[in-house]
């Protein structure tokens, strides 16, 4: 087992995480911390020197992180410094002080390398192919154009939330004239980048500014999930919010729910950079990435050792589900794969019944592989516990709504529960059409679970037929008795007829000698 500490020394904050990697390659976050130290504060354009006060703030914080790394048995430290150190004349001497005082080996990375690491953190965790990516820090913004999951162009512009705030003195409320001056300056910097797209393209943002803007929006709409990664922030809500921030002074901004008080003085400059990038692209939404340089550093280390097959690139969700399962002390993987394979089979062979998409099949597969994890909490109500764990797991390749749908499919793998729905705090994210999808998909999972009620994996083959009034399921089993499975399926006959408009006729064929077609190492997923 390895424990890798990752430190990102930025212009505004120091971020520190520890990732644990098991011998199987399963990884998980076990610790994280952040401290605003304003390293670039007071570093003027003329002298470009890190001030002694800023260096001392950073050193004090890094000493704490070095101690945490020791007591948490970290085996490797990956540490980088970005724009503030990169652009300063005394950056190299400062890093020598860091090494002497803390023992942390820290490297200054270029703007291009910073963009590459940010891209790596996003492309491993958000399943989009074409987008404009930006990482807004305290002293710079890195922008990348991504096509077909490949980074075509990158640029680092020395224009960050801290440096712009100092340049335009925007800590308090800004007048319409000053706001226009800041916007003109930002547009001029962006206009110098020839490859920025002129057509509409999705935008993904990294950094404290976008996270804070998204938190404000989530609080105002009473968003039911405590999740920022892959959050879709509507542009029509972003622009008025930025205008509002410009009108408020720093003390008033500190009272805004969702806005960190330590960022209140620099949020205007950062927010104007974000709004100009979104406006320029014509994007309808800003996607928030909670993963950036730190995760990019981790995957840069992890992939050559454990991720050589690059499953995350083509099958992000399956790769993420597989990794998450490996971090849990579970011993029922054979049963889970078997049940999921049968559920997928029912989906594939009853296409005319459900009329759902391949994306829905993907959600069924993910829910199937995780449907029993709630047993780690308690066997009683384990389906409900599974739903909670899935809804809150760090899974990649899903929108927030899709993750909730997966959790509900798992919640109902012993039968649909209107009572559970009424107590759910997440219903505002899903509509009646989504609930119908859940009913259909959870029925396939419930039937598959019932077919392996004894966990003997004795079903060798299924044959599905449909007629105008009936759905026929022929079940071939290598056992002579099937009364346990037949009893387990009885509660789903009426819900099946109500959902699909056909009665379910189950026919049993015991004593089958052929090998089961469902004993797969991994369920199939579309690329």
């Amino acid at each position: 087992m390895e424990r890798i500490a990752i430190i990102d020394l930025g212009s505004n904050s120091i971020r520190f995480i520890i990732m644990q990697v098991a011998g199987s390659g399963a990884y998980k976050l076990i610790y994280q911390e952040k401290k605003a130290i304003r390293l670039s504060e007071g570093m003027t354009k003329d002298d470009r020197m890190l001030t002694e006060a800023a260096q001392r703030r950073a050193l004090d914080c890094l000493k704490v992180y070095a101690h945490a790394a020791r007591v948490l048995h970290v085996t490797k430290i990956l540490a980088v410094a970005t724009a503030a150190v990169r652009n300063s004349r005394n950056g190299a001497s400062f890093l020598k002080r860091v090494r002497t005082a803390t023992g942390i080996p820290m490297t200054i990375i270029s703007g291009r390398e910073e963009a590459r690491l940010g891209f790596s953190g996003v492309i491993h965790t958000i399943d989009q192919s074409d987008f404009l990516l930006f990482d807004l820090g305290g002293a710079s913004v890195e922008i990348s154009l991504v096509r077909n999951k490949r980074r075509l162009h990158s640029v680092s512009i020395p224009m960050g939330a801290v440096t712009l705030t100092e340049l335009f003195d925007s800590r308090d409320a800004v007048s319409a004239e000053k706001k226009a001056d800041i916007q003109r300056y930002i547009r001029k910097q962006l206009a110098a980048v020839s490859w920025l797209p002129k057509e509409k393209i999705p935008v993904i943002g990294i950094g404290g500014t976008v996270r804070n803007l998204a938190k404000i929006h989530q609080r105002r709409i009473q968003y039911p999930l405590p999740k920022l990664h892959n959050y879709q922030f509507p542009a029509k809500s972003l622009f008025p919010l930025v205008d509002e921030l410009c009108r408020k002074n720093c003390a008033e901004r500190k009272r805004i729910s969702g806005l960190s008080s330590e960022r209140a003085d620099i949020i205007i400059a950062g927010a104007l950079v974000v709004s100009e990038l979104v406006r320029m692209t014509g994007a309808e939404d800003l996607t928030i990435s909670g993963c950036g340089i730190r995760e990019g550093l981790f995957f840069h280390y992890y992939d050559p050792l454990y991720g050589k097959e690059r499953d995350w690139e083509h099958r992000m969700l399956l790769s993420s589900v597989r990794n998450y399962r490996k971090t849990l002390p579970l011993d029922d993987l054979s049963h889970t794969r078997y049940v999921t394979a049968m559920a997928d089979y029912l989906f594939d062979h009853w296409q005319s019944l459900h009329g759902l998409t391949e994306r829905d099949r993907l959600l069924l597969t993910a829910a199937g592989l995780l449907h029993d994890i709630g047993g780690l909490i308690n066997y009683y109500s384990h389906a409900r516990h599974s739903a909670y764990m899935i809804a809150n797991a760090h899974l990649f390749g899903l929108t927030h709504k899709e993750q909730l749908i997966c959790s509900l499919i798992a919640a109902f793998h012993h039968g649909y529960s209107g009572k559970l729905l009424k107590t759910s705090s997440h219903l505002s994210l899903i509509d009646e059409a989504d609930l119908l999808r859940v009913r259909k998909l959870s029925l396939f999972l419930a039937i598959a679970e019932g077919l392996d009620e004894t966990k003997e994996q004795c079903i060798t083959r299924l044959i599905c037929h449909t007629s105008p009034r009936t759905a026929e399921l022929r079940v071939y089993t290598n056992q002579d008795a099937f009364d346990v499975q037949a009893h387990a399926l009885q509660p789903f006959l009426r819900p099946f007829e109500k959902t699909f408009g056909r009665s379910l006729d189950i026919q049993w064929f015991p004593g089958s000698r052929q090998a089961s077609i469902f004993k797969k190492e991994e369920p199939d997923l579309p690329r």
Side-chain angles (χ1 to χ4, degrees):
M1 183 184 72
E2 291 186 276
R3 286 188 172 180
I4 301 118
I6 299 166
I7 300 173
D8 169 16
L9 175 58
S11 307
N12 183 54
S13 305
I14 307 180
R15 297 181 179 276
F16 174 67
I17 65 172
I18 298 177
M19 300 292 293
Q20 180 171 290
V21 183
S24 64
Y27 63 86
K28 63 179 180 179
L29 175 71
I30 64 167
Y31 187 85
Q32 77 167 3
E33 187 58 67
K34 176 187 80 82
K35 179 71 174 177
I37 47 92
R38 298 286 171 90
L39 187 58
S40 64
E41 191 172 65
M43 189 174 76
T44 66
K45 189 175 182 181
D46 295 327
D47 66 19
R48 295 189 298 111
M49 296 287 285
L50 298 172
T51 67
E52 179 59 29
Q55 292 184 60
R56 176 52 54 191
R57 290 194 296 269
L59 284 168
D60 289 345
C61 183
L62 288 169
K63 287 176 183 177
V64 174
Y65 292 167
H67 178 74
R70 286 193 298 273
V71 299
L72 292 172
H73 309 293
V74 164
T75 53
K76 189 175 187 64
I77 296 179
L78 305 173
V80 296
T82 58
V85 179
R86 179 171 70 234
N87 296 333
S88 66
R89 291 194 290 120
N90 58 341
S93 64
F94 167 64
L95 292 195
K96 287 180 181 178
R97 292 180 67 182
V98 170
R99 185 65 180 264
T100 301
T102 68
I104 295 173
M106 188 167 287
T107 303
I108 301 173
I109 58 173
S110 66
R112 185 171 182 81
E113 178 67 3
E114 191 173 350
R116 187 184 72 83
L117 290 173
F119 164 74
S120 180
V122 168
I123 206 66
H124 279 80
T125 61
I126 295 180
D127 199 7
Q128 286 201 39
S129 295
D130 303 286
F131 54 91
L132 188 74
L133 170 67
F134 72 88
D135 184 351
L136 178 62
S140 67
V141 58
E142 283 66 47
I143 306 174
S144 297
L145 179 62
V146 179
R147 299 287 190 188
N148 196 27
K149 296 194 174 185
R150 295 292 182 269
R151 185 170 55 96
L152 298 185
H153 303 286
S154 290
V155 65
S156 179
I157 304 173
M159 175 179 67
V162 175
T163 53
L164 274 180
T165 297
E166 294 187 345
L167 181 62
F168 288 95
D169 189 20
S170 60
R171 287 176 174 83
D172 263 318
V174 298
S175 64
E177 292 77 16
K178 182 178 284 189
K179 177 186 173 187
D181 288 342
I182 300 173
Q183 289 174 317
R184 276 193 294 270
Y185 180 86
I186 295 168
R187 290 166 188 162
K188 182 178 179 181
Q189 304 302 311
L190 296 178
V193 184
S194 61
W195 47 260
L196 285 179
K198 302 299 188 291
E199 75 280 8
K200 186 179 292 189
I201 188 172
V203 178
I204 298 177
I206 306 171
T209 296
V210 293
R211 288 194 299 272
N212 270 250
L213 291 172
K215 282 181 182 178
I216 296 170
H217 183 252
Q218 286 186 338
R219 297 282 177 87
R220 291 186 173 181
I221 66 171
Q222 297 183 313
Y223 195 69
L225 281 179
K227 295 169 69 72
L228 280 173
H229 185 69
N230 209 15
Y231 179 64
Q232 306 290 312
F233 189 174
K236 65 182 181 181
S237 299
L238 170 65
F239 299 138
L241 173 57
V242 175
D243 291 340
E244 176 191 337
L245 292 171
C246 290
R247 292 191 299 268
K248 293 181 180 292
N249 61 39
C250 188
E252 291 170 331
R253 293 197 297 271
K254 285 183 178 180
R255 294 195 290 270
I256 296 175
S257 179
L259 177 58
S260 168
S261 60
E262 65 188 24
R263 191 173 290 274
D265 60 334
I266 61 173
I267 192 66
I268 286 179
L272 286 172
V273 174
V274 173
S275 63
E276 288 306 308
L277 278 164
V278 174
R279 198 187 312 276
M280 176 196 71
T281 60
E284 295 180 359
D285 299 284
L286 168 63
T287 299
I288 311 301
S289 176
C291 297
I293 290 178
R294 298 172 303 288
E295 290 75 17
L297 276 167
F298 170 72
F299 287 120
H300 180 69
Y301 172 79
Y302 177 92
D303 283 349
L305 298 175
Y306 304 99
K308 295 178 182 178
E309 295 180 3
R310 298 175 68 88
D311 274 354
W312 56 268
E313 186 171 14
H314 303 293
R315 301 181 177 189
M316 185 180 292
L317 177 55
L318 176 59
S319 176
S320 182
V321 167
R322 183 188 296 136
N323 178 77
Y324 179 56
R325 274 197 57 99
K326 286 181 179 179
T327 67
L328 304 175
L330 298 166
D331 57 5
D332 64 342
L333 185 56
S334 177
H335 164 74
T336 299
R337 287 173 173 170
Y338 187 77
V339 167
T340 305
M342 287 195 289
D344 286 345
Y345 183 92
L346 295 175
F347 181 98
D348 292 340
H349 289 80
W350 269 332
Q351 285 277 352
S352 60
L353 278 181
H354 59 71
L356 299 176
T357 67
E358 281 300 302
R359 187 68 184 176
D360 294 313
R361 185 187 193 273
L362 188 64
L363 303 185
L364 173 62
T365 304
L369 289 172
L370 299 174
H371 76 277
D372 273 341
I373 61 176
L376 289 173
I377 300 174
N378 194 328
Y379 177 78
Y380 296 106
S381 300
H382 73 271
R384 181 177 297 194
H385 298 321
S386 295
Y388 177 84
M389 293 175 71
I390 294 170
N392 291 277
H394 212 40
L395 297 176
F396 303 131
L398 289 168
T399 66
H400 289 189
K401 177 191 279 194
E402 288 175 333
Q403 192 158 349
L404 286 177
I405 288 173
C406 280
S407 74
L408 290 174
I409 295 168
F412 302 141
H413 78 266
H414 283 310
Y416 192 81
S417 169
K419 182 179 179 181
L420 176 59
L421 274 179
K422 290 177 182 178
T423 61
S424 173
S425 61
H426 303 145
L427 282 183
S428 60
L429 291 186
I430 55 179
D431 56 27
E432 287 300 321
D434 296 321
L435 288 176
L436 180 57
R437 292 161 68 197
V438 168
R439 292 180 77 102
K440 291 177 179 180
L441 295 169
S442 61
L443 267 172
F444 294 144
L445 183 57
I447 292 170
E449 178 79 1
L451 288 170
D452 198 37
E453 180 74 8
T454 62
K455 297 191 177 182
E456 295 175 280
Q457 298 175 24
C458 61
I459 307 303
T460 62
R461 188 182 179 195
L462 297 173
I463 295 179
C464 302
H465 288 296
T466 58
S467 69
R469 295 185 177 180
T470 305
E472 181 182 297
L473 178 63
R474 298 180 185 177
V475 183
Y476 294 81
T477 170
N478 59 23
Q479 302 286 334
D480 291 327
F482 50 85
D483 53 317
V484 174
Q485 294 93 329
H487 177 76
L489 294 182
Q490 278 298 312
F492 308 126
L493 298 183
R494 282 192 66 185
F496 189 97
E497 184 171 7
K498 184 177 179 180
T499 301
F500 295 108
R502 290 173 174 81
S503 61
L504 178 59
D505 178 19
I506 304 174
Q507 302 173 18
W508 297 88
F509 296 85
S512 172
R513 295 184 179 181
Q514 69 180 93
S516 175
I517 65 172
F518 300 113
K519 291 183 178 180
K520 301 178 181 180
E521 292 194 359
E522 284 288 355
D524 292 329
L525 279 182
R527 285 185 178 271

